[in-house]
Amino acid sequence: LDHSDHVFPYYSQGIAKLIEQGGLVSLGDHSTFYGIGMVWETMALASAMEDALPALEAVTISAAVMNGLDASLGSLEAGKLADLIIVDGDPAKNIADLLNVEFTMVNGILYQTSDMKQVWPEDSGTPLYRWWADQEPRLRSGTRRSGGVAAHVH
């Protein structure tokens, strides 16, 4: 695959150098593709690094530190806000595993990503979107589902 017409490798290499030299980096997107945009940004940065962990830190603890919110979020600690994703795999070893979202926790409530059914602290028994209760969600023609992410293929 020829990526010569893409700019992300150049940006990612520059950002990776900043991190390697001790710089603090926070990633962001323009919310064009809610949720998945941050995954793409993280994967792009990780593509320029030998170790994916600094890229994961750039969207978690480093982002919290840079925004002055590290006392409340950015890492898993008692007393911090519990907003997180649980993936099938290990993104520190294979950054593409970020696409395999199985569960999402928002404000300490755990949801099954496939249908947004609350599963903890209490099982709601029905999906958040009630129209999914009796049927599988239908995807638009040309759309593929990967974990909790649906992407349209042109």
Side-chain angles (χ1 to χ4, degrees):
L1 184 61
D2 179 19
H3 293 290
S4 61
D5 58 339
H6 297 282
V7 296
F8 79 83
Y10 305 106
Y11 292 139
S12 297
Q13 290 165 5
I15 295 168
K17 286 180 186 175
L18 284 172
I19 292 172
E20 290 166 5
Q21 295 175 5
L24 192 60
V25 170
S26 172
L27 294 180
D29 72 358
H30 299 281
S31 298
T32 306
F33 301 99
Y34 299 99
I36 192 66
M38 286 303 302
V39 172
W40 290 338
E41 294 290 333
T42 307
M43 291 174 68
L45 176 56
S47 73
M49 309 181 89
E50 288 187 30
D51 182 6
L53 194 55
L56 294 168
E57 290 172 344
V59 294
T60 55
I61 190 62
S62 295
V65 168
M66 291 184 78
N67 286 287
L69 298 170
D70 51 306
S72 299
L73 50 90
S75 62
L76 296 176
E77 297 178 50
K80 287 192 172 185
L81 298 175
D83 287 3
L84 55 94
I85 59 171
I86 299 172
V87 299
D88 181 11
D90 184 353
K93 292 181 180 162
N94 178 10
I95 199 66
D97 285 343
L98 280 178
L99 296 171
N100 303 323
V101 179
E102 297 289 327
F103 298 94
T104 302
M105 183 173 277
V106 179
N107 295 325
I109 299 173
L110 190 65
Y111 299 92
Q112 183 174 288
T113 306
S114 62
D115 59 8
M116 293 308 290
K117 180 180 115 174
Q118 180 179 327
V119 294
W120 192 87
E122 298 172 8
D123 189 329
S124 67
T126 58
L128 178 64
Y129 303 112
R130 304 233 183 269
W131 59 89
W132 285 7
D134 298 325
Q135 63 187 21
E136 282 290 312
R138 286 186 228 141
L139 299 176
R140 192 171 74 181
S141 176
T143 303
R144 295 184 194 155
R145 181 170 290 283
S146 173
V149 178
H152 187 72
V153 179
H154 297 278

Short mmCIF file of all heavy atoms in Angstrom, two decimals, residues 112 114-115 127 129-139 145 147:
data_model
loop_
_atom_site.label_atom_id
_atom_site.label_comp_id
_atom_site.label_asym_id
_atom_site.label_seq_id
_atom_site.Cartn_x
_atom_site.Cartn_y
_atom_site.Cartn_z
N GLN A 112 -22.59 -2.65 26.81
CA GLN A 112 -22.16 -3.56 25.75
C GLN A 112 -22.20 -2.76 24.46
O GLN A 112 -23.25 -2.25 24.07
CB GLN A 112 -23.13 -4.74 25.71
CG GLN A 112 -22.81 -5.82 24.73
CD GLN A 112 -23.79 -6.96 24.94
OE1 GLN A 112 -23.70 -7.67 25.93
NE2 GLN A 112 -24.73 -7.09 24.02
N SER A 114 -22.05 -3.41 21.26
CA SER A 114 -22.79 -3.87 20.08
C SER A 114 -24.22 -3.34 20.04
O SER A 114 -24.76 -3.09 18.97
CB SER A 114 -22.80 -5.40 20.02
OG SER A 114 -23.45 -5.93 21.16
N ASP A 115 -24.84 -3.16 21.21
CA ASP A 115 -26.22 -2.66 21.23
C ASP A 115 -26.48 -1.61 22.32
O ASP A 115 -27.60 -1.19 22.53
CB ASP A 115 -27.22 -3.81 21.38
CG ASP A 115 -27.01 -4.62 22.65
OD1 ASP A 115 -26.18 -4.21 23.51
OD2 ASP A 115 -27.67 -5.66 22.80
N PRO A 127 -31.42 -3.31 25.29
CA PRO A 127 -30.47 -2.34 24.74
C PRO A 127 -30.93 -0.91 24.99
O PRO A 127 -32.13 -0.65 25.18
CB PRO A 127 -30.47 -2.64 23.25
CG PRO A 127 -31.08 -3.98 23.10
CD PRO A 127 -32.00 -4.16 24.26
N TYR A 129 -30.95 1.35 22.83
CA TYR A 129 -31.80 1.68 21.69
C TYR A 129 -32.84 0.57 21.57
O TYR A 129 -32.57 -0.50 21.09
CB TYR A 129 -30.96 1.78 20.41
CG TYR A 129 -29.86 2.81 20.56
CD1 TYR A 129 -28.52 2.44 20.59
CD2 TYR A 129 -30.17 4.16 20.70
CE1 TYR A 129 -27.52 3.39 20.74
CE2 TYR A 129 -29.18 5.11 20.86
CZ TYR A 129 -27.86 4.72 20.87
OH TYR A 129 -26.89 5.65 21.03
N ARG A 130 -34.01 0.83 22.03
CA ARG A 130 -35.04 -0.19 22.14
C ARG A 130 -35.39 -0.86 20.82
O ARG A 130 -35.81 -2.00 20.79
CB ARG A 130 -36.29 0.42 22.76
CG ARG A 130 -36.01 1.08 24.09
CD ARG A 130 -36.91 0.58 25.17
NE ARG A 130 -36.66 1.26 26.43
CZ ARG A 130 -35.82 0.84 27.34
NH1 ARG A 130 -35.14 -0.25 27.16
NH2 ARG A 130 -35.65 1.50 28.47
N TRP A 131 -35.22 -0.13 19.69
CA TRP A 131 -35.55 -0.74 18.39
C TRP A 131 -34.57 -1.86 18.05
O TRP A 131 -34.79 -2.61 17.14
CB TRP A 131 -35.59 0.30 17.28
CG TRP A 131 -34.32 1.05 17.09
CD1 TRP A 131 -33.28 0.70 16.29
CD2 TRP A 131 -33.94 2.28 17.71
NE1 TRP A 131 -32.28 1.63 16.36
CE2 TRP A 131 -32.65 2.61 17.23
CE3 TRP A 131 -34.55 3.13 18.61
CZ2 TRP A 131 -31.98 3.76 17.63
CZ3 TRP A 131 -33.87 4.28 19.00
CH2 TRP A 131 -32.62 4.57 18.51
N TRP A 132 -33.45 -2.00 18.79
CA TRP A 132 -32.51 -3.09 18.57
C TRP A 132 -32.89 -4.33 19.37
O TRP A 132 -32.30 -5.38 19.21
CB TRP A 132 -31.10 -2.69 18.95
CG TRP A 132 -30.44 -1.78 17.97
CD1 TRP A 132 -31.01 -1.18 16.88
CD2 TRP A 132 -29.09 -1.36 18.01
NE1 TRP A 132 -30.08 -0.40 16.24
CE2 TRP A 132 -28.89 -0.49 16.91
CE3 TRP A 132 -28.03 -1.62 18.85
CZ2 TRP A 132 -27.68 0.10 16.64
CZ3 TRP A 132 -26.82 -1.02 18.57
CH2 TRP A 132 -26.65 -0.17 17.49
N ALA A 133 -33.87 -4.22 20.24
CA ALA A 133 -34.20 -5.33 21.14
C ALA A 133 -34.65 -6.58 20.38
O ALA A 133 -34.33 -7.69 20.79
CB ALA A 133 -35.30 -4.89 22.11
N ASP A 134 -35.37 -6.41 19.29
CA ASP A 134 -35.92 -7.56 18.57
C ASP A 134 -35.18 -7.90 17.29
O ASP A 134 -35.54 -8.86 16.62
CB ASP A 134 -37.39 -7.30 18.23
CG ASP A 134 -38.23 -7.11 19.47
OD1 ASP A 134 -37.93 -7.78 20.48
OD2 ASP A 134 -39.15 -6.29 19.45
N GLN A 135 -34.18 -7.11 16.94
CA GLN A 135 -33.49 -7.37 15.68
C GLN A 135 -32.06 -6.87 15.75
O GLN A 135 -31.73 -6.04 16.57
CB GLN A 135 -34.21 -6.67 14.52
CG GLN A 135 -34.21 -5.15 14.65
CD GLN A 135 -35.05 -4.49 13.59
OE1 GLN A 135 -35.91 -5.11 13.02
NE2 GLN A 135 -34.79 -3.24 13.31
N GLU A 136 -31.25 -7.42 14.88
CA GLU A 136 -29.87 -6.94 14.74
C GLU A 136 -29.92 -5.55 14.11
O GLU A 136 -30.77 -5.29 13.25
CB GLU A 136 -29.08 -7.89 13.84
CG GLU A 136 -28.64 -9.15 14.52
CD GLU A 136 -27.56 -8.87 15.56
OE1 GLU A 136 -26.59 -8.17 15.26
OE2 GLU A 136 -27.72 -9.37 16.69
N PRO A 137 -29.02 -4.67 14.49
CA PRO A 137 -28.99 -3.38 13.82
C PRO A 137 -28.66 -3.56 12.34
O PRO A 137 -27.81 -4.37 12.01
CB PRO A 137 -27.87 -2.62 14.53
CG PRO A 137 -27.23 -3.58 15.45
CD PRO A 137 -28.05 -4.81 15.52
N ARG A 138 -29.38 -2.87 11.49
CA ARG A 138 -29.14 -2.97 10.06
C ARG A 138 -28.13 -1.91 9.65
O ARG A 138 -28.26 -0.76 10.03
CB ARG A 138 -30.43 -2.78 9.29
CG ARG A 138 -31.32 -3.99 9.39
CD ARG A 138 -32.54 -3.83 8.50
NE ARG A 138 -33.66 -4.20 9.34
CZ ARG A 138 -34.82 -3.61 9.35
NH1 ARG A 138 -35.06 -2.60 8.57
NH2 ARG A 138 -35.77 -4.01 10.15
N LEU A 139 -27.17 -2.33 8.88
CA LEU A 139 -26.17 -1.39 8.39
C LEU A 139 -26.50 -1.01 6.96
O LEU A 139 -27.00 -1.82 6.19
CB LEU A 139 -24.78 -2.02 8.45
CG LEU A 139 -24.30 -2.43 9.84
CD1 LEU A 139 -22.95 -3.12 9.74
CD2 LEU A 139 -24.20 -1.21 10.74
N ARG A 145 -19.00 -3.69 9.72
CA ARG A 145 -18.91 -3.54 11.17
C ARG A 145 -17.64 -4.22 11.64
O ARG A 145 -17.35 -5.34 11.28
CB ARG A 145 -20.12 -4.15 11.87
CG ARG A 145 -20.06 -3.97 13.38
CD ARG A 145 -21.35 -4.35 14.05
NE ARG A 145 -22.42 -3.43 13.77
CZ ARG A 145 -22.56 -2.23 14.35
NH1 ARG A 145 -21.69 -1.80 15.19
NH2 ARG A 145 -23.58 -1.47 14.05
N GLY A 147 -15.95 -4.74 15.36
CA GLY A 147 -16.10 -4.46 16.79
C GLY A 147 -17.29 -3.54 16.99
O GLY A 147 -18.37 -3.80 16.49
#
